[in-house]
């Protein structure tokens, strides 16, 4: 009972809400990236690894920029450099996956899992090396300035936070206390929902994931769509990794910083039934459940139980959707299968 | 070349390995006509059409569209030339709507303008008499609706040459009539239409001209007005070829299986077998003839217990129990197998049924025997011995009995499959397409094996594609057409034409004939 009361009081605190949102947005990035690749029929289980690569890419870029041009630090340039390296690293991961599964037709699950192992190791190696170089006892890489640049809020947040009205203060804190990437992510989700359902590009993409044979016969370049969707999806997921270290932990890299964020993102795709719109509120729910344990004043064992909740929710959604058997709620039909034209 | 020619093929050849699928074919289709492409299974109809629609590339020869020589490398190229092919297996995305499938892959504005797309579809439907709901999802549609979507999809892309691969195979007669109506409308609009078929009545009722392919060659093109079922059948089956297959006299006097009034449904809910009755005797080879999809597969599977039976009975006379009759309907496939009724089915891809491609010969032998014995461990020794034995006797060419069977050539895979069933000493051996894709020598090895079984008193059921083989090997031939038995004849005293006619017989004639047979 105490726990429930503690949970309820936690949920209504602004610090909980902001933490839930930042956690949720990093999940949402990962989930949107995974969704793009899965719509093209590629089950990319390498997303957790790619998020690590994106995260360490951002840290690497920021570290290089801060330490080589620290005399004239420009927040804008810092963001640009971090973003560029983040995209470079995560898309490299996407390219490995695409080349193996699309061109060489390797098994997608095996490739994805290998990529996750590789990406995590790569990130820890590079991050750990940077930490050694930066001298912080080899434990962490700190790029506070870039982290701060990423957390630059919208201009009207300052006056709201400083106002005397408690209401304005709370609204400002809950809705506007985040960096630009937070809002970009929401916009991206809405944009993707539009692209998937209303555009030619989305139609062709869905056809590739559902029935590549039909798409091929209709004149869609199946491999091009798979490559582009997987690479773009990796880029988005990589940004999610960087968002986590820049926005959520303010520009600090420690090894294994992302924890199980990547796997939660994969679970979120299933929870959202491959729909970007649903993923928005799903990400808030998942984010909330993730940080609930941390925010609550409860023993560690209990926190672990609370951390299980997102996965339990995903299992429940799977059970319910398989009982309802609506075709629209099913994963893309040829998800996980390589496409050989000869097997018509 | 006249302006009226839509597409012209000159000396087109295509080989797959050593098999000549098409050899120096010349074909011409005019605007505003329906051309039927008629031929037996494996006569090269679909291969030829696949070359026009960009799926295969011809080994030699040239294709002219509107008088220009063209090179068709991909389905995309075919679209650009206005060629649209409607495959037997529809190429549609289930979760998308009809309209979305129709515009799939087309260039245009990034954001879909659903209004104008629907208007264009509605125009097409009105023009040619289609009935189509653009918002309906494909998975909610019947087969005939899906076919309509495919045809509209091609027309939407501006196809002027339409190829339909056995369009009526999955339709009810009423749906087929509606399709023909639409095809006539399109013909009158100046489209060139090719339909691949082996149903003579369709050829006669819908087409203007008919080209007949036999064993990969074009044996002639005639105006439908001058054609009769008789002339078409003769051209289709050709002169009888003496194959000189040994055929020992049947010595069977024991009835082994009695099938009575058997009716089964296919996956679409239509009757795949309709009131089928026949007997199989020990020591004979019963050939089963019929165009593809006439119910051969369902018949064998029903006997083997793999296909649910709607009505009728299958009685097996068990030699171990003094030929006591026992009912097979309702028994599991395993029980039926243990009674000695064995099925070796060779599907198109050969490995699809009965063998595991990545396992070696001896492991594949084990698939039949691993349940035997009481020990918790499987007996590996006897399957190994069996595999060695089969390899020796049937001359299976393989590096070793543990080489994965998918690495073997097709003929050798078939030897393994048939050999395994024979080794189980069956009392009823059913084989379907046992010589599919095999060269002559290997085919003879298989015929020899079947004859051996027959002499041992086994009742052999042989489903074949090649009429010459059926006539040379079987003692009696049962002919199926649309799931009905159109005749059971003595293979020694019949002609290819007679069987060919029975294979393509019309429903009304069948019922008349069936009625007569009952009176006798």
């Amino acid at each position: 009972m105490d726990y429930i009361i503690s949970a309820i009081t936690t949920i209504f605190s602004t610090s909980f809400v902001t933490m839930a949102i930042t956690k949720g947005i990093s999940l949402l990035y990962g989930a949107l990236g995974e969704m793009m690749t899965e719509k093209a029929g590629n089950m990319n289980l390498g997303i957790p690894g790619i998020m690590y690569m994106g995260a360490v890419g951002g840290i690497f870029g920021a570290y290089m920029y801060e330490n080589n041009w620290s005399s004239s630090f420009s927040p804008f340039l810092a963001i640009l450099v971090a973003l560029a390296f983040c995209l470079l690293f995560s898309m490299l991961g996407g390219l490995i996956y695409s080349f193996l599964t699309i061109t060489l037709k390797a098994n997608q699950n095996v490739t994805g899992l290998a990529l996750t192992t590789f990406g995590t190791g790569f990130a820890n190696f590079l991050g750990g090396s940077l930490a050694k170089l930066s001298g912080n006892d080899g434990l962490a890489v700190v790029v506070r300035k870039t982290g701060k640049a990423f957390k630059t809020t919208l201009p009207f947040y300052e006056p709201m936070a400083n106002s005397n009205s408690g209401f304005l203060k709370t609204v400002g804190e809950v809705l506007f206390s985040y960096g630009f990437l937070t809002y970009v992510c929401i916009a991206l989700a809405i944009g993707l929902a539009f692209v998937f359902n209303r555009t030619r590009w989305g139609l062709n993409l869905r056809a590739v994931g559902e029935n590549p044979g039909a798409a091929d016969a209709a004149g869609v370049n199946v491999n091009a769509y798979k490559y582009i969707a997987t690479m773009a999806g990796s880029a988005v997921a990589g940004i999610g990794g960087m968002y986590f270290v820049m926005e959520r932990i303010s520009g600090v890299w420690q090894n294994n910083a992302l924890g199980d964020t990547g796997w939660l993102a994969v679970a979120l795709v299933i929870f959202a039934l491959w729909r970007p719109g649903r993923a928005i509120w799903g990400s808030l729910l998942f984010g909330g459940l993730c940080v609930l344990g941390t925010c609550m004043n409860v023993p560690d064992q209990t926190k672990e139980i609370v951390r299980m909740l997102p996965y339990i929710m995903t299992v429940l959604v799977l059970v319910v959707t398989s009982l309802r058997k609506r075709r629209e709620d099913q994963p893309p039909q040829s998800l996980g299968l390589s496409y050989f034209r000869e097997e018509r | 070349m006249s302006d009226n020619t839509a597409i012209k093929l000159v000396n087109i050849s295509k080989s797959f390995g050593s098999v000549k699928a098409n050899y120096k074919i010349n074909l011409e289709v005019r605007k505003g006509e329906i051309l039927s492409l008629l031929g037996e299974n494996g006569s090269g109809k679909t291969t030829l059409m696949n070359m026009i629609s960009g799926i295969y590339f011809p080994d030699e020869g040239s294709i002219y569209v509107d008088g220009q020589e063209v090179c068709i490398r991909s389905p995309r190229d075919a679209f650009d030339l206005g060629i649209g092919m409607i495959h037997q297996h529809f190429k549609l995305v289930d979760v998308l709507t009809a309209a979305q499938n129709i515009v799939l892959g087309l260039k245009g504005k990034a954001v879909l303008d659903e209004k104008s797309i629907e208007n264009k579809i509605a125009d097409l439907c009105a023009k040619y008499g289609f009935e189509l709901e653009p918002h309906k999802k494909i998975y909610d549609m019947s087969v005939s609706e899906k076919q309509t979507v495919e045809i509209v999809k091609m027309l939407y892309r501006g196809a002027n040459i339409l190829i339909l691969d056995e369009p009526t195979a999955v339709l009810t007669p009423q749906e087929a009539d509606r399709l023909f109506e639409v095809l006539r409308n399109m013909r009158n609009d100046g489209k060139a239409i090719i339909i691949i078929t082996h149903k003579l009545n369709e050829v006669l009722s819908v087409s203007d001209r008919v080209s007949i392919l036999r064993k990969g060659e074009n044996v002639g093109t005639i105006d439908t007005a001058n054609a009769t079922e008789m002339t078409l059948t003769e051209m289709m089956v050709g002169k009888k070829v003496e194959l000189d297959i040994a055929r020992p006299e049947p010595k069977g006097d024991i009835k082994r299986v009695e099938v009575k009034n058997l009716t089964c449904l296919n996956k679409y809910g239509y009757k795949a077998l309709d009131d089928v009755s026949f007997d199989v005797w020990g020591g004979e080879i019963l050939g089963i003839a019929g165009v593809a999809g006439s119910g051969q597969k369902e018949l064998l599977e029903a006997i083997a217990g793999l296909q649910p039976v709607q009505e009728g009975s299958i009685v097996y006379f068990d030699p171990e129990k003094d030929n006591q009759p026992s009912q097979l309907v309702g028994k599991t496939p395993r029980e039926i197998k243990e009674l000695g009724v064995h099925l070796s089915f060779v599907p198109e891809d050969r490995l699809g049924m009965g063998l595991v491609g990545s396992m070696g010969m001896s492991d594949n032998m084990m698939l039949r025997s691993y349940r035997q014995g009481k020990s918790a461990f499987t007996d590996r020794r006897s399957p190994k011995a069996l595999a060695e034995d089969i390899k020796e006797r049937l001359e299976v060419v393989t590096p070793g009995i543990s080489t994965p069977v998918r690495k073997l050539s097709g003929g050798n895979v078939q030897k393994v499959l048939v050999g395994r069933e024979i080794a189980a000493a069956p009392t009823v051996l059913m084989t379907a397409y046992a010589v599919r894709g095999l060269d002559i020598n290997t085919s003879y090895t298989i015929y020899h094996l079947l004859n051996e079984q027959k002499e041992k008193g086994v009742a052999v059921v042989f489903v074949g594609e090649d009429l010459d083989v059926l006539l040379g090997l079987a003692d009696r031939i049962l002919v199926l057409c649309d799931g009905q038995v159109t005749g059971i004849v003595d293979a020694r005293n019949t002609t290819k034409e007679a069987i060919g006619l029975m294979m393509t017989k019309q429903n009304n004639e069948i019922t008349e004939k069936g009625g007569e047979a009952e009176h006798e």
Side-chain angles (χ1 to χ4, degrees):
Chain A
M1 196 62 207
D2 289 352
Y3 290 159
I4 294 171
I5 292 167
S6 150
I8 290 171
T9 46
T10 311
I11 287 172
F12 286 101
S13 67
T14 44
S15 67
F16 167 76
V17 175
T18 52
M19 277 175 79
I21 287 178
T22 49
K23 175 83 184 178
I25 293 296
S26 56
L27 291 176
L28 185 55
Y29 267 117
L32 291 177
E34 177 71 17
M35 226 175 256
M36 288 163 79
T37 47
E38 290 199 9
K39 286 280 179 190
N42 283 354
M43 177 86 193
N44 189 356
L45 292 181
I47 283 291
I50 287 172
M51 289 180 79
Y52 264 103
M53 289 172 84
V56 87
I59 291 287
F60 179 78
Y63 182 83
M64 288 301 162
Y65 179 75
E66 282 190 18
N67 286 292
N68 292 321
W69 294 283
S70 53
S71 51
S72 59
F73 183 84
S74 144
F76 180 71
L77 263 180
I79 288 175
L80 218 58
V81 172
L83 202 57
F85 274 94
C86 163
L87 292 181
L88 180 75
F89 282 28
S90 51
M91 284 174 88
L92 182 72
L95 185 66
I96 295 172
Y97 179 85
S98 306
F99 182 69
L100 284 172
T101 62
I102 304 168
T103 305
L104 302 182
K105 325 254 185 236
N107 181 302
Q108 296 187 3
N109 293 342
V110 175
T111 309
L113 290 173
L115 184 58
T116 288
T117 315
F118 167 76
T120 314
F122 172 82
N124 284 341
F125 171 70
L126 189 62
S129 310
L130 279 184
K132 273 266 184 326
L133 286 178
S134 66
N136 292 320
D137 296 334
L139 288 177
V141 189
V142 184
V143 283
R144 286 260 182 249
K145 285 188 206 154
T146 315
K148 197 157 168 272
F150 269 104
K151 288 188 87 165
T152 310
T153 53
L154 293 170
F156 51 81
Y157 168 65
E158 280 297 302
M160 277 173 104
N162 295 331
S163 80
N164 296 324
S165 150
F167 173 73
L168 272 184
K169 243 188 164 120
T170 314
V171 170
E173 191 71 26
V174 169
L175 294 181
F176 301 114
S177 63
Y178 317 101
F180 72 102
L181 279 177
T182 310
Y183 308 102
V184 167
C185 189
I186 305 278
L188 185 67
I190 296 167
L192 277 179
F194 180 81
V195 168
F196 287 158
N197 295 317
R198 291 265 172 270
T199 65
R200 243 171 244 283
W201 198 86
L203 186 64
N204 294 350
L205 180 67
R206 276 158 68 207
V208 166
E210 291 286 343
N211 186 343
D216 195 17
V220 178
N221 188 339
V222 173
N223 281 358
Y225 268 86
K226 276 180 176 264
Y227 258 99
I228 292 170
T230 307
M231 300 285 285
S234 301
V236 169
I239 294 175
M242 185 181 67
Y243 178 87
F244 192 92
V245 291
M246 291 297 182
E247 174 95 24
R248 200 171 142 70
I249 42 186
S250 314
V252 181
W253 169 270
Q254 282 178 302
N255 277 0
N256 296 320
L258 280 96
D260 59 357
T261 309
W263 292 116
L264 268 173
V266 175
L268 179 58
V269 175
I270 301 166
F271 181 84
L273 303 174
W274 294 268
R275 276 178 221 152
R278 267 185 212 224
I280 298 178
W281 65 262
S283 71
L284 297 181
L285 180 68
F286 271 38
L289 290 173
C290 283
V291 297
L292 185 59
T294 323
C295 293
M296 273 165 67
N297 189 17
V298 290
D300 280 353
Q301 321 64 311
T302 320
K303 286 183 183 174
E304 291 302 329
I305 290 178
V306 175
R307 274 194 204 120
M308 269 169 28
L309 289 175
Y311 295 102
I312 294 174
M313 305 276 298
T314 306
V315 170
L316 286 179
V317 166
L318 274 178
V319 170
V320 171
T321 50
S322 17
L323 287 178
R324 280 172 62 205
K325 284 194 181 125
R326 268 191 69 208
R327 284 300 300 273
E328 283 79 1
D329 292 344
Q330 302 305 316
Q333 216 170 14
S334 78
L335 182 61
L337 307 175
S338 303
Y339 176 61
F340 299 85
R341 177 181 275 184
E342 288 76 20
E343 269 181 17
R344 302 168 180 274
Chain B
M1 199 182 297
S2 77
D3 283 337
N4 207 16
T5 306
I7 186 165
K8 188 174 174 181
L9 309 181
V10 180
N11 284 336
I12 294 282
S13 298
K14 175 81 185 171
S15 306
F16 296 104
S18 61
V19 183
K20 278 184 181 150
N22 285 155
Y23 183 69
K24 292 205 182 296
I25 290 189
N26 291 295
L27 192 75
E28 184 188 311
V29 191
R30 300 170 192 150
K31 289 172 188 162
E33 79 161 353
I34 300 177
L35 177 86
S36 290
L37 204 54
L38 185 69
E40 283 186 293
N41 305 313
S43 57
K45 296 167 295 190
T46 305
T47 307
L48 184 65
M49 290 302 111
N50 278 341
M51 281 190 275
I52 303 180
S53 61
I55 290 170
Y56 299 145
F57 194 76
D59 294 343
E60 48 184 304
S62 30
I63 302 174
Y64 298 85
V65 173
D66 289 332
Q68 297 287 314
E69 182 164 6
V70 294
C71 178
I72 305 170
R73 284 195 198 81
S74 70
R76 181 116 224 171
D77 287 355
F79 283 147
D80 294 343
L81 292 167
I83 300 168
M85 179 153 173
I86 289 116
H87 297 267
Q88 257 176 307
H89 305 284
F90 303 130
K91 305 258 184 197
L92 296 171
V93 181
D94 276 352
V95 293
L96 301 184
T97 64
Q100 286 172 327
N101 266 290
I102 288 169
V103 298
L104 187 64
L106 288 178
K107 295 209 164 64
K109 272 189 296 178
V111 178
L112 290 168
D113 181 357
E114 289 178 22
K115 258 270 163 50
S116 71
I117 290 167
E118 274 164 31
N119 285 341
K120 199 172 162 193
I121 292 172
D123 286 349
L124 281 173
C125 290
K127 191 170 171 191
Y128 298 114
F130 294 107
E131 286 166 32
L132 184 68
E133 296 169 53
H135 286 296
K136 205 167 176 183
K137 294 264 169 91
I138 300 298
Y139 62 77
D140 276 334
M141 289 189 170
S142 71
V143 187
S144 131
E145 285 174 295
K146 287 182 194 174
Q147 190 179 52
T148 308
V149 176
E150 280 280 25
I151 299 174
V152 175
K153 182 165 128 187
M154 295 307 157
L155 293 174
Y156 192 96
R157 280 143 211 260
N160 289 316
I161 302 163
L162 274 152
I163 305 161
L164 295 98
D165 190 357
E166 296 188 21
T168 57
V170 288
L171 300 183
T172 63
Q174 294 80 4
E175 288 169 338
D177 285 344
R178 212 176 314 138
L179 173 69
F180 291 152
E181 202 49 50
V182 168
L183 291 183
R184 287 191 196 102
N185 289 338
M186 295 198 290
R187 169 188 63 193
N188 296 341
D189 191 46
K191 311 259 183 218
I193 296 163
I194 306 174
I195 69 171
I196 301 179
T197 183
H198 38 225
K199 295 184 182 167
L200 292 178
N201 65 318
E202 289 177 1
V203 173
L204 292 172
S205 76
V206 77
S207 66
D208 300 303
R209 289 190 308 147
V210 46
S211 285
I212 296 113
L213 295 192
R214 193 201 313 143
K215 303 208 162 134
E217 293 183 53
N218 187 350
V219 293
T221 302
I222 50 176
D223 288 336
T224 310
N226 303 329
T228 63
E229 292 199 6
M230 204 62 202
T231 55
L232 290 178
T233 308
E234 270 178 29
M235 291 177 81
M236 193 163 98
V237 296
K239 289 273 174 295
K240 187 173 189 303
V241 184
E242 284 301 331
L243 283 174
D244 200 24
I245 303 170
R247 175 162 54 187
E249 282 298 315
K251 47 185 170 183
D253 45 2
I254 311 155
K255 205 192 267 184
R256 203 45 84 202
V257 177
E258 185 182 69
V259 175
K260 258 199 175 145
N261 308 106
L262 187 67
T263 299
C264 294
L265 300 183
N266 66 9
K267 61 180 173 183
Y268 304 111
Y270 300 127
K271 280 182 182 170
L273 290 176
D274 189 0
D275 201 17
V276 169
S277 302
F278 64 94
D279 303 326
V280 192
W281 296 76
E284 72 156 0
I285 296 183
L286 175 71
I288 295 185
V291 295
S294 296
Q296 298 97 318
K297 182 171 178 248
E298 286 82 1
L299 179 61
L300 297 196
E301 290 190 349
I303 298 175
L306 297 165
Q307 164 88 24
V309 171
Q310 214 67 22
E311 254 177 75
S313 77
I314 304 166
V315 176
Y316 172 67
F317 299 93
D318 194 344
E320 281 176 22
K321 289 186 193 138
D322 223 8
N323 297 326
Q324 285 295 308
S326 64
Q327 180 60 250
L328 292 188
V329 174
K331 284 202 167 57
T332 65
R334 201 167 136 195
E335 287 165 348
I336 293 172
K337 184 148 275 159
E338 276 160 13
L339 283 172
V341 180
H342 281 241
L343 170 63
S344 81
F345 187 94
V346 181
E348 270 120 345
D349 61 356
R350 289 204 184 101
L351 285 171
M353 198 175 256
L355 293 178
V356 179
S358 54
M359 301 200 320
M361 267 178 79
S362 62
D363 284 355
N364 270 299
M365 297 301 141
M366 258 180 84
L367 289 178
R368 282 284 180 267
S369 63
Y370 71 96
R371 285 202 201 86
Q372 293 158 5
K374 294 205 172 62
S375 158
F377 300 99
T378 48
D379 172 15
R380 298 199 69 96
R381 218 169 303 146
S382 44
K384 209 167 174 181
L386 176 61
E388 289 289 4
D389 184 45
I390 289 177
K391 186 187 163 197
E392 199 85 351
R393 275 204 308 143
L394 306 192
E395 293 161 5
V396 180
V397 182
T398 168
I401 52 166
S402 48
T403 308
V405 292
R406 79 181 133 74
K407 292 199 176 154
L408 273 52
S409 77
N412 286 309
V413 170
Q414 261 153 281
K415 284 184 196 167
V416 174
L417 184 60
V418 177
R420 182 183 66 189
E421 301 309 325
I422 290 174
T427 47
V428 178
L429 177 65
M430 299 184 284
T431 65
Y433 313 119
V435 294
R436 185 174 250 164
L438 294 191
D439 61 56
I440 289 290
N441 285 329
T442 326
S443 302
Y444 274 84
T445 314
I446 303 260
Y447 302 146
H448 181 63
L449 282 172
L450 294 177
N451 273 328
E452 246 178 41
Q453 293 299 305
K454 167 179 159 184
E455 290 193 309
K456 279 187 193 159
V458 173
V460 180
V461 179
F462 178 85
V463 175
E465 288 174 309
D466 191 331
L467 287 184
D468 289 319
V469 171
L470 281 170
L471 284 168
L473 179 70
D475 298 302
R476 291 186 301 146
I477 298 176
L478 179 148
V479 187
L480 283 173
C481 177
D482 281 341
Q484 296 176 323
V485 177
T486 47
I488 301 179
V489 293
D490 182 351
R492 287 176 178 78
N493 307 314
T494 190
T495 61
K496 221 171 159 182
E497 287 76 20
I499 293 178
L501 271 181
M502 282 189 255
M503 280 164 61
T504 49
K505 220 162 227 173
Q506 301 326 304
N507 287 341
N508 48 2
E509 289 172 41
I510 293 158
T511 38
E512 280 164 27
K513 284 269 160 67
E516 278 168 31
E518 271 170 20
H519 290 304
E520 278 164 13

